[in-house]
Amino acid sequence: MLRVGIIGAGGMGKIHADCWSKIKEAKIQVICDIEKDKAESLAKIYNTDTATSSSDVIKRSDIDIVDICTPTPFHADDIILALKSGKHTICEKPIARTLESAKEVIRVAKEVDVKFMTAHVLRFFPEFSTAKNLIDSGAIGIPRMARMKRGGPYPVGKWNDWYSKVEMSGGCLVDTGVHDFDFLRWIFGDAERVYASALTWKNILHKDYGLATIRFKSRAMAQVEITWAHPPKTPMKVGFELIGTEGMLTYDNYSSTPLRIMKEGETFNTFSMESPITEDPYLGEIEHFVSCIKENKEPLITPEDAYRALEIALACIESARTNRPVNVGGEI
Amino acid sequence: MKGAILSFAHIHAFSYIECLKRIPEVEVSAIADEDEDRGKSIASRFNTRYYRDYQDLLKSEDIDFVVVCSENAKHKDMVIASAQAGKHILCEKPISTDIKSAKEMIETTNRYGVQFQIAFPVRFSPIVRRVKNMIDNGEFGKIFAFNCTNHGKMPGGWFVDKSLAGGGAIMDHTVHVMDILRWYLGCEAEYVYAEGDTLLHNIPSDDVGLVSVTFENGIFATIDTSWSRPKSFPIWGDVNIYMTAEKGAVEIEVFNQNLSLYNDKTMSVSWLGWGSNMDFLMVKSFISSIKENKPVEVTGYDGLKAMEVALAAYRSIELQEPVKLPLEE
């Protein structure tokens, strides 16, 4: 039995706890949050211990896996502590808030004999993994260009309003964009340089938006739109176009939604769009991590992958701040 | 009112002549085309006089206006000669292929007192106008950014010949969207950064472009100018403008009023438009500017400022850094 300690009982912690509860060979041992009542209300559902300090969780001898679901700036220290304590570690994206701390994570991960993965869950979303498989099978010829869009309303009402603090979250291009940057690297390989414009540094309360252009070493190029500027309570919007020498793959979550439910009292703006699917991407991600532990495999997302996605994201906000293209791909 | 088409090198000429024919007081009485086979067959199809040399056509006193649809690099000579002959001019976009000739065209048409309109039909789209009115009414509050595309299929022919087109996809597809953004914002671009390359087709010009524009008021935009629609794409391309503002977001997909045709005869799917004919609305506006002697809705200066961004994009690709506007000649 793999015994799990979850650190952070916010939105992602809840999703991960639900996934762990569905894994036969795993058991959630403890749920930790600096806000005691949050830890307790989630612990009640899964009948686990609670803690308010991450190091208390990590030090426990009855824990095999640490799952870190805290805000970004707390990732690196807990990953490093967990790895050094001999725990298998899965951490929400991005791997760290700075490249220096991400480098330190990579250094430690190389020294220890446990599994570590950053949870770039997009790779487990069927619309994205199917696209990757199709591209690998040559469906669009050589992939050369991509357009990505992702976003919705501003993530308000979170702990300490941490998303609105650029020094913590990095803004939308870092927190949300890192998903697409990892996916683009999965398709195109390493990036060469980045240019971006964004609201991130303009201090507009609860609005962020960014447009990024990424050039890859393969000469491929991509355009990424990330928004946290849609009106509250509007649905998330996700889409992509992947263009190759012999075709194009497109996806748009608004137009490919297979289920629209209009109940009395709802209007065009409030009816719900759903896309039910039996394979939960978050569960798929956790199952993958468990299988890596059991079968002693390298996780799909390496520490270097997570570093490179963060590097692109940070280059984006640096470019947006300076109005200059920023080179990426430096030595780790 | 009598008009003429100068060259059918640009395929839009066919649409413009059809649109002109729908206006009762207008007659297209002559065409000029260097390509004699093409010119003669078009002249007989539309029942007009044919001239091989447009200079000869311009001597005809019965012609009030011309529509210039030659290769981009030939716009300048045709527009200047037409102005000197006293003809009003509707000129296909981009206005020309360099700043100096565009300025000369504007100056000459002014000097000879003829109307000079650039063919930016998207300005006349009721969809695009609806949003223009909402912006002017302040319905979105402060505008933050635009994410735009003007995609197409790879056109081939002279479009990929830099000496005739002045560039490739970036030259072809920056200007429509740029014109709309300038019109929406009432503000000029200040910085342009671009990535462009030949990535999809075996052609001598660029076929993909991502043009980033920062306006004088800090609003930023990206225009994807790529000829990235596959041959199998169900429509020629798109003009999409996604706006983000203080009080909401707007998604404009100008060519989305379509029927889908699933055709067993060709084993293909096509999207066939049923929306307003923007070309018709544009030529109608041009004709009424002539008739009522009022300013054209899209000026030569508008054409110059839109083209300037495309030229700046090419310079930015060379320098790998943002380029500040206005450009020197």
Side-chain angles (χ1 to χ4, degrees):
Chain A
M1 185 63 68
L2 294 165
R3 295 157 300 177
V4 183
I6 297 173
I7 299 171
M12 287 316 304
K14 281 180 191 147
I15 291 172
H16 279 204
D18 176 57
C19 294
W20 284 114
S21 75
K22 290 172 180 161
I23 305 239
K24 278 202 309 287
E25 55 271 65
K27 176 181 180 300
I28 309 172
Q29 200 82 342
V30 53
I31 292 172
C32 167
D33 200 290
I34 54 165
E35 293 178 90
K36 196 159 185 269
D37 52 330
K38 270 194 186 163
E40 278 171 356
S41 68
L42 198 57
K44 205 178 287 172
I45 300 172
Y46 300 104
N47 193 25
T48 74
D49 298 348
T50 62
T52 54
S53 152
S54 59
S55 60
D56 288 350
V57 172
I58 292 166
K59 283 179 200 150
R60 279 173 71 142
S61 58
D62 62 343
I63 297 287
D64 305 296
I65 298 173
V66 173
D67 182 351
I68 299 165
C69 295
T70 50
T72 303
F74 308 122
H75 289 177
D77 284 351
D78 279 347
I79 298 170
I80 290 166
L81 189 60
L83 291 176
K84 284 183 171 168
S85 309
K87 316 294 188 197
H88 302 294
T89 306
I90 180 167
C91 179
E92 256 313 306
K93 39 65 32 190
I95 183 171
R97 176 60 183 83
T98 65
L99 290 183
E100 292 67 38
S101 51
K103 272 180 194 170
E104 185 60 14
V105 169
I106 291 177
R107 199 184 59 75
V108 173
K110 274 188 186 139
E111 285 170 4
V112 296
D113 191 26
V114 289
K115 300 300 171 194
F116 166 61
M117 185 173 95
T118 307
H120 279 286
V121 72
L122 213 59
R123 297 203 192 196
F124 298 88
F125 270 72
E127 56 275 44
F128 286 86
S129 60
T130 306
K132 163 70 173 164
N133 291 338
L134 281 166
I135 286 172
D136 286 350
S137 73
I140 61 169
I142 305 162
R144 294 287 209 177
M145 192 173 198
R147 298 184 56 78
M148 315 294 295
K149 63 166 67 184
R150 174 177 307 278
Y154 202 92
V156 288
K158 310 291 180 184
W159 172 78
N160 205 16
D161 198 22
W162 71 276
Y163 284 103
S164 73
K165 291 161 181 146
V166 181
E167 72 279 7
M168 295 190 85
S169 71
C172 71
L173 279 167
V174 175
D175 187 78
T176 300
V178 79
H179 281 297
D180 295 279
F181 304 146
D182 175 64
F183 177 73
L184 289 167
R185 278 192 69 255
W186 206 26
I187 303 290
F188 293 120
D190 274 328
E192 172 108 30
R193 64 177 174 271
V194 164
Y195 178 86
S197 308
L199 297 182
T200 309
W201 303 104
K202 298 194 177 181
N203 292 318
I204 303 165
L205 183 67
H206 292 165
K207 294 272 181 204
D208 197 6
Y209 179 87
L211 292 171
T213 299
I214 304 166
R215 216 49 216 275
F216 293 85
K217 292 195 193 321
S218 66
R219 278 170 62 213
M221 62 175 83
Q223 198 261 357
V224 182
E225 178 194 44
I226 304 292
T227 184
W228 285 354
H230 283 179
K233 294 178 186 164
T234 52
M236 176 93 176
K237 178 138 189 151
V238 181
F240 61 70
E241 279 187 7
L242 303 166
I243 301 143
T245 50
E246 293 172 87
M248 173 166 76
L249 273 170
T250 68
Y251 167 72
D252 177 284
N253 72 323
Y254 276 32
S255 61
S256 76
T257 175
L259 182 57
R260 285 169 286 279
I261 302 168
M262 283 154 272
K263 290 184 188 153
E264 255 185 66
E266 286 178 340
T267 68
F268 181 77
N269 298 313
T270 62
F271 80 85
S272 72
M273 301 193 306
E274 296 184 10
S275 191
I277 189 158
T278 49
E279 297 84 10
D280 173 2
Y282 295 94
L283 182 57
E285 174 183 65
I286 301 278
E287 282 172 343
H288 169 73
F289 187 62
V290 168
S291 78
C292 289
I293 295 169
K294 280 170 48 189
E295 297 157 35
N296 193 23
K297 291 186 308 192
E298 240 350 86
L300 178 62
I301 301 125
T302 67
E304 289 76 15
D305 288 334
Y307 176 94
R308 291 296 179 201
L310 175 68
E311 186 189 29
I312 295 171
L314 294 177
C316 283
I317 59 170
E318 171 68 3
S319 173
R321 196 175 61 78
T322 58
N323 186 32
R324 309 282 310 170
V326 175
N327 289 325
V328 293
E331 254 181 74
I332 297 179
Chain B
M1 198 182 299
K2 288 187 176 169
I5 314 283
L6 304 190
S7 178
F8 280 75
H10 201 298
I11 197 167
H12 289 166
F14 290 93
S15 170
Y16 302 152
I17 194 171
E18 294 281 2
C19 292
L20 286 163
K21 279 179 58 177
R22 285 171 55 193
I23 303 173
E25 67 266 37
V26 170
E27 188 191 319
V28 180
S29 32
I31 69 152
D33 201 302
E34 297 178 320
D35 181 331
E36 203 162 328
D37 289 344
R38 180 174 66 190
K40 279 186 171 163
S41 96
I42 293 164
S44 85
R45 180 171 143 204
F46 291 98
N47 197 21
T48 71
R49 304 197 299 272
Y50 168 71
Y51 296 84
R52 193 169 191 288
D53 186 342
Y54 74 92
Q55 299 278 11
D56 292 334
L57 182 149
L58 290 175
K59 288 174 194 147
S60 314
E61 293 204 349
D62 63 326
I63 300 294
D64 302 297
F65 69 89
V66 297
V67 181
V68 173
C69 284
S70 55
E71 298 87 343
N72 303 341
K74 296 180 182 172
H75 289 177
K76 178 198 161 194
D77 287 348
M78 280 190 183
V79 165
I80 286 176
S82 301
Q84 287 166 343
K87 316 298 187 197
H88 303 293
I89 303 151
L90 175 62
C91 179
E92 181 57 34
K93 62 86 213 171
I95 181 171
S96 66
T97 55
D98 64 285
I99 304 275
K100 188 163 177 278
S101 56
K103 285 186 175 164
E104 214 176 311
M105 291 157 81
I106 294 166
E107 193 203 307
T108 310
T109 51
N110 282 340
R111 187 169 355 121
Y112 286 87
V114 294
Q115 297 280 18
F116 180 36
Q117 181 172 328
I118 305 299
F120 282 141
V122 185
R123 276 247 199 146
F124 299 87
S125 155
I127 307 153
V128 173
R129 291 217 158 186
R130 163 106 175 95
V131 176
K132 167 71 172 160
N133 291 335
M134 293 175 83
I135 290 172
D136 289 352
N137 290 338
E139 291 184 43
F140 302 113
K142 192 174 151 39
I143 293 170
F144 295 138
F146 295 90
N147 183 19
C148 313
T149 66
N150 183 188
H151 290 131
K153 296 184 183 183
M154 202 279 288
W158 63 265
F159 284 90
V160 305
D161 179 345
K162 209 179 162 195
S163 66
L164 290 170
I170 291 172
M171 191 49 137
D172 193 28
H173 277 176
T174 300
V175 293
H176 281 300
V177 173
M178 210 35 236
D179 179 63
I180 299 305
L181 298 184
R182 288 183 62 249
W183 187 49
Y184 275 3
L185 298 176
C187 178
E188 298 296 349
E190 187 176 20
Y191 288 100
V192 174
Y193 177 85
E195 293 282 357
D197 206 336
T198 310
L199 294 183
L200 302 173
H201 312 278
N202 186 19
I203 54 172
S205 72
D206 54 296
D207 59 11
V208 296
L210 294 171
V211 180
S212 297
V213 179
T214 309
F215 287 83
E216 284 164 349
N217 57 12
I219 291 171
F220 55 91
T222 304
I223 308 171
D224 183 340
T225 66
S226 307
W227 291 330
S228 58
R229 300 308 88 175
K231 291 190 275 293
S232 53
F233 201 64
I235 194 169
W236 62 270
D238 62 44
V239 173
N240 296 336
I241 300 172
Y242 305 106
M243 182 177 90
T244 298
E246 191 185 359
K247 294 183 186 168
V250 181
E251 304 186 348
I252 305 172
E253 296 179 344
V254 180
F255 292 93
N256 210 13
Q257 290 164 307
N258 295 314
L259 300 180
S260 298
L261 171 66
Y262 301 86
N263 188 335
D264 279 355
K265 283 174 281 197
T266 56
M267 287 303 282
S268 65
V269 182
S270 23
W271 295 342
L272 305 174
W274 49 259
S276 304
N277 184 335
M278 294 179 282
D279 286 353
F280 177 68
L281 297 167
M282 178 184 73
V283 299
K284 222 174 64 171
S285 161
F286 173 63
I287 296 299
S288 74
S289 288
I290 298 173
K291 250 174 49 187
E292 295 158 34
N293 194 27
K294 62 178 187 194
V296 291
E297 289 194 66
V298 189
T299 65
Y301 185 73
D302 293 328
L304 163 67
K305 294 309 280 184
M307 178 190 65
E308 186 181 38
V309 172
L311 295 173
Y314 285 114
R315 191 167 299 176
S316 166
I317 290 165
E318 258 179 58
L319 302 173
Q320 271 189 36
E321 60 181 49
V323 169
K324 195 168 193 304
L325 299 187
L327 293 181
E328 316 260 305
E329 274 180 18

